[in-house]
Every structure is written in structure tokens, then in C-alpha cells.
Amino acid sequence: MLYTCGHKIPDSDSIIGAIAMAYLQEKLGKQTKAVRQGDINPETAYILEKFNLETPELKTSFAGCDLFMVDYNNYTEGPDDLKEANLVGIADHHKLGGLVTAGPLDVWIRAVGCSNTVIKEMFDYYEIEIPKDIAGAMMCAILSDTVIFKSPTCTKVDTRICKELADIAAIEDFKAIGMEMFKVKSQVEGVPTRELVKRDYKNFDMYGHKVGVGQLEVVDLSIFDEIKDDLIADIEALRVEDDNDTVLLVLTDIIAMGSQILVATKSPEVIEKAWDVKIENNQFWLKGCLSRKKQIIPFLEPAFK
Ligand code: MG
Ligand code: MG
Ligand code: MG
């Protein structure tokens, strides 16, 4: 059995990517199963329901299993026993994260906005047709990861492939579906603070400093006005619990095109140096910042050197 699986705290790219990859590998003659390492977020639930796709089963241990990774390529975001799994392939769009494998594998990594863009290219390469529902979900994953093409991570390949997937799915107004998705993402009322902090959260090791960075992408930042103090208190609590140097929560306004960064840190001078900013009341504004991958991590990591 070949398992296809995305990263810990899975996002839509990880879940839909696993489903699409399982379908592709099945067509290529393997017995496959799409699985996930964690809970489904509300945006992904919306996509799965919209396209009548089954939620992949939860699986957290892969020792001795054949595994095709999607949407990540490091140990931190993998299962704890990743070193004991047999890595068959990777489809991803992140920086290299230091994997070592026992044998050769099928690696598809490109500097594009979404893993599902890479997976669509794999379907084309192998000349396999994509079913309508899977195509629609892949289109949504691209709209999500590229913030409806606004993110600096978005490339011409992503927009072209997203449109091709919309055609296969017979969807005309795909940008409207994108907005609908971000409205689902923007519902924070009544959600426990920790759940919001951890909804899209990644751990990093930056030159020996443990750093956590969460991100919430919404259509209007004012929805955080009343809970911002709680969020700041919670990332400080999380920083202490996880023995992190720093925990950031990136509150991204996809319409205003910028992010309010909430900060819990032992090293304020590092954060201030990273972006040449001043932290006030545990926060600062980053104009034009939409992407953790391109506008947060590449600035923060070298500042810890
Ligand atoms: Mg992801
Ligand atoms: Mg992705
Ligand atoms: Mg994302």
C-alpha cells in the first residue's frame, strides 16, 4: 500500500494534494490510500463537501510504510517516525528541509504557489485525466495557497493551471469560490483562542532557536479587535509551553494586503532587526505581507544567525 500524505496541521493543499496524488498513483498501477496527519480545518471541510470528496483517514505512524509526501519535505512537519518510512516521492513547493533517504525517489519540487499546481503537472506528464471533483478541489487548493493569485508566491504557472482545473471542473467564476472560501476562513467567532493560533501553525528550528509561526488569512482584520489581547496572551503561553524562543501569529488581511504580526518572544531585538520594525504592544504591521513562506521565514531565519 502506498500512502499519500501532507504535513502536520494539514491545510487544504496538504489534504487535497494527498487525495489527488492517491488518485494519480492508483492510475499508475499502485494500490494507494490518501491519509492525513491531523484535523481538517474549516476551509478544507468546505472544499471536501463542495466536491463530494471523502475525508482522508487519520494516520500518524508510517514506520515500514511506502509514503508519497505532499506539500512539505522536512522532518519537523512529518510523522515522528518518518525516518523509518520508505519515501517513494515528494510533490512540493517549499524550501528543502534536510531529508535523507535510503533509496532514490521521485521528487517533484517547484518554486510555484501550490503543491496542487505541481500535481496537475504530474497528471499532464503521465497523461492521466483528472476527474471533475478532484479538479475542482485542486483549483480551490491553488486559490487558497496563492490567496486568489495575490500572494508573491503565485506564478504564471499557478494561474494557468488553476484556470485549466476550473475548465475541467466546469466552474466559470472561480474567483467567487475563492472569496467564498476566505469568508469561511474568516469565521473566528466562538472559536477557542488556541484553536485559532494552531489552525495554520508551523514549527521551525532557526539556528538552534525554536520558533513557531501561525497564520490566519481573513477578509477583514477588524474581526480580531475583541480577541487580539487573548491571542497575544495565548501565543505567550504557547511559547512557554513549547519552550520556544519566539511564537508569531500572522494576521493577514487579504483585501488590505498586509499583515498584523502578533509577537511573543525572548528576542525582540531579533524580530525588530528582521524587518527593521518597532514592536509596540506585542505587535507590528507589515505592509504588503501575505506569505509566511516568502515574507516571514526568509527574513526571520537569518536574523537568528
Ligand atoms: Mg501547506
Ligand atoms: Mg502548499
Ligand atoms: Mg497557506
Side-chain angles (χ1 to χ4, degrees):
M1 175 72 75
L2 171 62
Y3 293 97
T4 59
C5 192
H7 54 76
K8 273 182 180 157
I9 311 188
D11 54 6
S12 298
D13 195 19
S14 271
I15 298 294
I16 307 304
I19 293 172
M21 183 61 77
Y23 181 87
L24 173 65
Q25 296 296 331
E26 188 93 40
K27 288 284 161 193
L28 294 174
K30 297 190 184 89
Q31 207 196 344
T32 66
K33 187 171 203 166
V35 292
R36 64 185 160 91
Q37 292 193 66
D39 292 341
I40 300 282
N41 70 33
E43 180 198 67
T44 310
Y46 166 88
I47 299 171
L48 292 173
E49 199 190 308
K50 186 164 187 73
F51 296 102
N52 296 306
L53 295 170
E54 258 177 57
T55 304
E57 247 172 59
L58 183 71
K59 182 171 171 66
T60 51
S61 170
F62 291 81
C65 298
D66 288 348
L67 174 64
F68 206 116
M69 296 167 68
V70 297
D71 199 33
Y72 78 105
N73 71 76
N74 58 62
Y75 288 111
T76 344
E77 287 186 279
D80 296 341
D81 56 6
L82 180 55
K83 283 183 179 155
E84 292 152 65
N86 172 36
L87 270 189
V88 171
I90 306 171
D92 188 27
H93 66 130
H94 291 87
K95 69 180 186 120
L96 293 179
L99 282 183
V100 177
T101 63
L105 66 163
D106 202 9
V107 176
W108 295 71
I109 301 178
R110 294 200 59 197
V112 292
C114 183
S115 302
N116 275 274
T117 298
V118 179
I119 297 170
K120 165 70 165 66
E121 293 190 307
M122 293 177 69
F123 272 95
D124 292 345
Y125 176 83
Y126 290 112
E127 298 179 334
I128 306 280
E129 268 182 49
I130 308 177
K132 229 174 141 182
D133 282 342
I134 293 183
M138 291 171 76
M139 174 201 80
C140 283
I142 296 174
L143 291 169
S144 171
D145 260 20
T146 64
V147 192
I148 321 182
F149 309 150
K150 289 183 190 185
S151 170
T153 59
C154 186
T155 67
K156 280 187 184 145
V157 186
D158 297 292
T159 46
R160 174 177 54 82
I161 283 181
C162 189
K163 284 170 192 161
E164 288 172 11
L165 290 165
D167 282 345
I168 298 169
I171 289 166
E172 253 169 61
D173 196 353
F174 57 89
K175 285 196 180 176
I177 294 183
M179 269 316 281
E180 186 81 27
M181 256 167 35
F182 278 94
K183 279 184 194 146
V184 171
K185 254 189 170 170
S186 302
Q187 282 161 16
V188 298
E189 239 182 76
V191 182
T193 315
R194 180 56 62 89
E195 206 178 304
L196 289 175
V197 170
K198 285 275 184 121
R199 188 175 272 177
D200 177 6
Y201 185 85
K202 288 184 194 288
N203 286 304
F204 299 89
D205 183 327
M206 299 190 174
Y207 298 99
H209 304 270
K210 285 175 69 187
V211 175
V213 183
Q215 184 176 25
L216 293 164
E217 298 157 314
V218 301
V219 287
D220 182 4
L221 278 195
S222 68
I223 58 166
F224 296 116
D225 285 353
E226 277 173 16
I227 56 169
K228 203 182 274 174
D229 291 343
D230 297 338
L231 290 170
I232 291 169
D234 195 64
I235 57 171
E236 175 57 25
L238 179 61
R239 188 189 69 72
V240 174
E241 278 165 41
D242 285 358
D243 196 23
N244 277 356
D245 180 279
T246 297
V247 173
L248 301 182
L249 184 60
V250 180
L251 304 178
T252 301
D253 189 319
I254 70 160
I255 305 296
M257 305 271 285
S259 296
Q260 189 73 21
I261 319 287
L262 308 187
V263 184
T265 187
K266 280 197 280 192
S267 317
E269 70 292 344
V270 172
I271 317 288
E272 294 188 334
K273 184 177 78 180
W275 290 280
D276 193 19
V277 290
K278 193 101 202 100
I279 302 170
E280 275 172 63
N281 301 321
N282 305 91
Q283 53 194 291
F284 63 95
W285 171 253
L286 271 188
K287 197 180 160 200
C289 171
L290 295 177
S291 166
R292 172 172 51 200
K293 194 191 275 103
K294 267 204 158 168
Q295 293 165 300
I296 300 288
I297 307 310
F299 290 85
L300 189 55
E301 186 158 25
F304 273 106
K305 206 168 178 174

